[in-house]
């Protein structure tokens, strides 16, 4: 077997193709996913048992647990699933993958989803070039989905072709007679082979070839199958390289779940085998054991069926044991993979139930908590804009404007989904008090979203000024900073008053504060006109400066109205 440098480049290219498909699918999902898709996924995974069933069904349909877990990671990255929901689906994917093994063992075929990838790309091509952003995002989503399957196929075909050259593994026969150490060795071998082949199905096929040739017995084959369950998790962890930390945590949960299961199986190695033998006895099937008077050919012929039964029993028992520990597993992966600052640049609802919604009196409390989160995000966006004003490094500016833009997209979606949730509350049979609170919250959410709009516009003005040869001068920056100093007070007050739910707001003083800021804006405008006449700075940079402090005045107005609606919300208690 010759593996050249060109083959290595093909492998690297296949991995890049796969990761790009993952990135494209995740980003498109964030643009396309609306409340309907979120509600559907939320309903399907509203508890751990439904999540497991969802994972089983998806994997049974597409016949690839790797593809299922990759999609789950993508859903988590897009904010469609939370970590706990994703763990349930991943558990189900492990059971669903046994369906593939049974189809191969009994019927001798497997559906190749990658064969449909190019037709999918062809069908989505008109959408990709559509002028409508929504259609274009849908097209990119389909292309990304197809690229994931093509990437998995390319990875599988680009790795060293051990399947066609199994003889290179014949040496491991020498390690099959050392008792429990041999089992550990073949466990590691199964993991390594799956890592190399990037396909647990291909690794299983290779295991069967080794059994058929008499290189290993049933014990060693079982150990390799257990190792393959660990090795198959690498695909999801590769996909998670281009995602946020929550998605990385979901991929890590897949690894930990399989590792815990393998540890249990190793501790109960003989009992697990005895269960397989008992099942085969019940159905009067041939046991893979030459000690029972069978020929080697009879034992080898029974091996695929016995391994399929073992694989199924292992995954079902593992899920039944660990399904009760979903929350501890989630807590553990959160400790292993810490949340980073970039993780808030993803849309997710923390308190509103996106599955089967119940419009009781607690719904208003859920929405109130979600609005608190919305305002905290908006405040972070506001702080980033302030930092941009003083930043001169182009790379850091580019990174910050990308984050601000992401925040703006998230703000639009939070506005849409929180308001949709609150609107349904007002249409349901709730008390007048709850209905009044929902009405006030709808208006408050709209104002918070307007604050984020103003922040994004100011960030764009900063980028426009930095791209010119003559950016804001020191006097301009000082004036804008002074305006921000005034705005800091009212922005922080909105966040504080949302937390202090019963404290009264003196709207008269807030109105006077807003008017004071507007007076400052007018004063700056007069000074700006004088500076333009004198030629103190160029007209183009002056226009950006004028637009900036004018938007600060607009922001002050939004903040005043936000406080007004918070007061209205508190009065409805």
């Amino acid at each position: 077997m010759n593996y050249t440098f060109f083959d290595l480049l093909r492998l690297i290219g296949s991995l890049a193709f796969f990761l790009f498909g993952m990135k494209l699918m995740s980003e498109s999902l964030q643009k396309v996913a609306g409340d309907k898709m979120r509600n559907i996924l939320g309903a399907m995974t509203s508890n751990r048992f439904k999540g497991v069933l969802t994972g089983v069904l998806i994997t049974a349909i597409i016949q690839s647990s790797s593809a299922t877990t990759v999609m789950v990671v993508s859903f988590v990255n897009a904010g469609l699933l939370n970590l706990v929901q994703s763990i349930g689906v991943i558990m189900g994917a492990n059971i669903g993958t046994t369906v593939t093994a049974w189809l191969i063992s009994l019927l001798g075929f497997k559906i190749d989803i990658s064969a449909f990838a190019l037709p999918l790309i062809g069908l989505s091509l008109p959408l990709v070039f559509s002028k409508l952003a929504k259609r274009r995002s849908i097209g990119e989503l389909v292309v990304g989905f197809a690229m994931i399957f093509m990437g998995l196929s390319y990875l599988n075909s680009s790795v060293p072709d051990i399947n066609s050259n199994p003889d290179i593994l014949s040496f491991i026969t020498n390690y099959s007679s050392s008792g429990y150490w041999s089992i550990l060795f073949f466990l590691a071998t199964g993991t390594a082979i799956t890592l190399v082949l990037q396909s647990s199905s291909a690794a299983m096929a290779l295991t069967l070839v080794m059994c058929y040739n008499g290189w290993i017995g049933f014990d060693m084959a079982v150990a390799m199958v257990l190792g393959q369950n660990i090795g198959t998790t690498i695909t999801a962890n590769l996909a998670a390289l281009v995602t946020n930390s929550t998605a990385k945590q979901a991929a890590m949960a897949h690894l930990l779940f399989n590792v815990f299961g393998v540890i249990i199986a190793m501790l109960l190695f003989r009992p697990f085998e005895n269960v397989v033998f008992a099942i085969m006895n019940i159905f009067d099937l041939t046991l893979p054991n030459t000690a029972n008077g069978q020929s080697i050919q009879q034992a080898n012929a029974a091996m695929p069926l016995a391994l399929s039964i073992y694989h199924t029993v292992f995954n079902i028992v593992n899920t039944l044991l660990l399904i009760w520990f979903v929350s501890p597993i989630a807590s553990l992966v959160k400790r292993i993979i810490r949340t980073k600052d970039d993780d808030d640049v993803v849309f997710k609802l923390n308190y509103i139930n996106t599955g089967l919604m119940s419009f009781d009196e607690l719904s208003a409390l859920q929405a109130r908590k979600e609005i608190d989160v919305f305002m905290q995000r908006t405040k972070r966006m506001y702080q980033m804009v302030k930092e941009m004003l003083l930043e001169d490094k182009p790379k850091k500016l580019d990174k910050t404007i990308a984050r601000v833009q992401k925040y703006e997209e998230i703000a639009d979606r939070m506005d849409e989904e929180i308001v949709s949730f609150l609107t349904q509350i007002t249409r349901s049979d709730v008390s007048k008090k709850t209905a009044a609170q929902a009405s006030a919250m709808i208006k408050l959410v709209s104002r918070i979203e307007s604050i984020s709009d103003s922040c994004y516009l100011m960030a764009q003005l900063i980028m426009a000024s930095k791209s010119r040869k003559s950016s804001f001068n020191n006097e301009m920056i000082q004036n804008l900073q002074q305006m921000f100093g005034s705005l800091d007070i009212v922005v922080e007050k909105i966040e504080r008053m949302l937390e202090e739910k019963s404290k009264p707001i003196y709207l008269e003083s807030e109105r006077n504060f807003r008017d004071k800021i507007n007076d400052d804006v007018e004063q700056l405008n007069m000074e700006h006109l004088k500076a333009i006449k004198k030629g103190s700075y160029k007209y183009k940079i002056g226009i950006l400066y004028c637009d900036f402090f004018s938007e600060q005045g607009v922001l002050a107005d939004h903040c005043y109205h936000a406080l007004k609606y918070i007061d209205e919300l508190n009065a409805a208690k």
Side-chain angles (χ1 to χ4, degrees):
M1 180 182 65
N2 295 321
Y3 196 74
T4 65
F5 180 69
F6 180 76
D7 293 323
L8 177 62
L9 290 179
R10 280 188 59 197
L11 177 61
I12 295 172
S14 299
L15 177 59
F17 189 85
F18 169 72
L19 291 177
F20 181 74
M22 176 65 188
K23 186 173 186 293
L24 183 63
M25 181 178 172
S26 292
E27 291 178 350
S28 302
L29 265 174
Q30 294 184 36
K31 296 174 184 176
V32 171
D35 57 332
K36 289 184 179 178
M37 186 174 183
R38 194 179 313 283
N39 289 341
I40 291 171
L41 285 173
M44 291 171 66
T45 59
S46 55
N47 62 56
R48 67 192 73 182
F49 302 102
K50 287 183 179 180
V52 169
L53 181 59
T54 299
V56 172
L57 291 175
I58 294 175
T59 308
I61 291 170
I62 65 177
Q63 293 193 28
S64 172
S65 61
S66 296
T68 300
T69 51
V70 166
M71 285 193 291
V72 169
V73 168
S74 181
F75 289 155
V76 174
N77 190 55
L80 298 176
L81 292 176
N82 60 39
L83 180 58
V84 172
Q85 289 172 322
S86 71
I87 293 174
V89 180
I90 288 169
M91 288 180 172
N94 275 20
I95 297 176
T97 194
T98 63
V99 174
T100 301
W102 280 106
L103 287 174
I104 295 172
S105 297
L106 300 178
L107 303 178
F109 75 90
K110 176 185 177 183
I111 299 171
D112 184 9
I113 297 294
S114 62
F116 300 94
L118 282 176
L120 279 175
I121 293 176
L123 290 173
S124 63
L125 194 63
L127 296 175
V128 173
F129 292 100
S130 173
K131 293 182 179 179
L132 297 177
K134 188 77 170 180
R135 290 181 183 175
R136 191 164 57 249
S137 296
I138 293 173
E140 291 172 352
L141 172 61
V142 176
V143 171
F145 177 77
M147 287 179 68
I148 285 175
F149 282 96
M150 291 177 68
L152 288 172
S153 178
Y154 290 155
L155 277 171
N156 192 18
S157 63
S158 299
V159 295
D161 190 11
I162 302 175
N163 278 320
S164 299
N165 302 272
D167 292 345
I168 64 173
L169 295 175
S170 60
F171 73 93
I172 65 175
T173 306
N174 302 324
Y175 301 93
S176 59
S177 57
S178 301
Y180 206 78
W181 289 110
S182 291
I183 293 174
L184 292 175
F185 172 78
F186 280 92
L187 172 72
T189 301
T191 302
I193 290 175
T194 310
L195 288 174
V196 172
L197 295 180
Q198 279 297 295
S199 170
S200 57
S201 297
M204 173 69 85
L206 188 60
T207 303
L208 295 176
V209 169
M210 294 166 68
C211 291
Y212 185 78
N213 286 312
W215 298 341
I216 59 175
F218 186 66
D219 288 354
M220 304 306 119
V222 163
M224 288 188 67
V225 169
L226 292 175
Q228 289 158 19
N229 276 272
I230 297 175
T232 193
T233 63
I234 190 61
T235 308
N237 282 277
L238 283 174
L241 292 175
V242 292
T243 61
N244 58 53
S245 288
T246 307
K248 287 183 175 68
Q249 289 167 353
M252 178 58 67
H254 185 205
L255 173 61
L256 291 182
F257 171 69
N258 283 17
V259 168
F260 290 155
V262 168
I263 291 172
I264 294 169
M266 291 296 288
L267 293 174
L268 302 174
F269 194 81
R270 297 304 175 192
F272 261 98
E273 280 192 344
N274 291 335
V275 170
V276 174
F277 296 152
I279 292 173
M280 295 191 77
N281 271 327
I282 290 171
F283 293 98
D284 196 24
L285 299 171
T286 308
L287 294 175
N289 189 352
T290 55
N292 290 348
Q294 298 170 286
S295 68
I296 293 176
Q297 287 78 11
Q298 286 176 315
N300 290 340
M303 197 71 75
L305 190 57
L307 287 178
S308 294
I309 293 174
Y310 185 92
H311 195 209
T312 303
V313 170
F314 164 74
N315 280 298
I316 291 176
V317 171
N318 189 26
T319 299
L320 290 176
L321 287 175
L322 295 181
I323 195 172
W324 310 104
F325 300 97
V326 170
S327 296
I329 291 173
S331 299
L332 179 58
V333 294
K334 286 178 180 178
R335 286 178 176 272
I336 296 172
I337 300 177
R338 300 287 183 178
T339 302
K340 299 178 181 178
D341 292 339
D342 286 344
D343 291 337
D344 53 11
V345 193
V346 60
F347 173 76
K348 57 182 177 181
L349 296 175
N350 296 312
Y351 298 102
I352 289 179
N353 179 12
T354 59
L356 300 175
M357 299 171 65
S358 58
F359 302 114
D360 52 24
E361 301 300 320
L362 293 176
S363 298
L365 178 61
Q366 292 175 335
R368 176 85 184 233
K369 289 181 177 179
E370 206 65 69
I371 293 171
D372 289 352
V373 174
F374 190 10
M375 186 59 210
Q376 289 168 13
R377 285 178 176 270
T378 304
K379 183 183 175 184
R380 286 197 291 271
M381 184 180 181
Y382 169 80
Q383 295 292 345
M384 283 187 280
V385 174
K386 288 175 57 182
E387 292 168 6
M388 286 179 67
L389 186 61
L390 301 175
E391 184 59 61
D392 292 323
K393 296 178 180 177
K395 287 186 178 180
K396 196 165 183 178
L397 275 171
D398 289 341
K399 184 178 179 180
T400 307
I401 188 64
R403 283 174 58 83
V404 170
Q405 184 174 357
K406 202 72 174 177
Y407 268 66
E408 166 58 15
E409 293 171 1
I410 292 170
D412 290 340
R413 292 173 62 190
M414 291 195 78
D415 174 34
E416 178 183 349
E417 298 205 17
I418 295 174
V419 169
S420 175
F421 181 81
L422 289 167
T423 301
Q424 292 181 68
I425 291 177
T426 59
R427 292 173 182 168
S428 62
D429 186 19
V430 293
S431 65
K432 290 183 178 179
K433 180 187 75 172
T434 301
Q437 289 178 354
S439 178
M441 283 190 281
I442 288 173
K443 291 181 281 187
L444 174 58
V445 168
S446 178
R447 283 295 174 173
I448 294 176
E449 197 278 329
S450 296
I451 292 172
S452 71
D453 286 340
S454 290
C455 290
Y456 181 48
L457 179 56
M458 287 188 288
Q460 289 179 308
L461 291 171
I462 291 172
M463 292 302 293
S465 71
K466 301 284 186 182
S467 64
R468 300 178 184 278
K469 291 183 179 179
S470 55
S471 57
F472 294 152
N473 59 35
N474 291 335
E475 185 179 353
M476 290 176 176
I477 292 175
Q478 186 177 353
N479 290 335
L480 297 176
Q481 277 189 293
Q482 189 172 351
M483 287 286 291
F484 272 132
S486 300
L487 288 168
D488 285 347
I489 299 171
V490 68
V491 169
E492 289 174 6
K493 188 166 188 177
I494 294 172
E495 185 181 30
R496 189 172 68 252
M497 297 311 297
L498 276 171
E499 294 173 355
E500 299 172 1
K501 298 176 176 57
S502 59
K503 193 171 182 179
I505 299 173
Y506 301 102
L507 289 176
E508 184 63 33
S509 63
E510 302 304 332
R511 188 183 299 110
N512 293 337
F513 191 81
R514 177 198 60 178
D515 293 343
K516 168 69 169 57
I517 291 177
N518 287 331
D519 288 342
D520 291 341
V521 169
E522 187 60 34
Q523 179 64 32
L524 286 176
N525 192 46
M526 292 173 59
E527 293 174 0
H528 160 67
L529 293 174
K530 291 179 182 178
I532 288 292
K533 289 180 180 179
K534 292 180 180 179
S536 302
Y537 43 75
K538 292 183 179 180
Y539 178 75
K540 288 183 179 180
I541 197 69
I543 291 296
L544 295 176
Y545 172 58
C546 180
D547 288 345
F548 198 102
F549 64 68
S550 296
E551 194 59 37
Q552 288 178 312
V554 173
L555 178 59
D557 190 63
H558 291 321
C559 290
Y560 164 73
H561 281 92
L563 286 168
K564 178 181 174 182
Y565 297 135
I566 293 173
D567 193 54
E568 185 179 321
L569 174 60
N570 291 338
K573 279 185 163 292

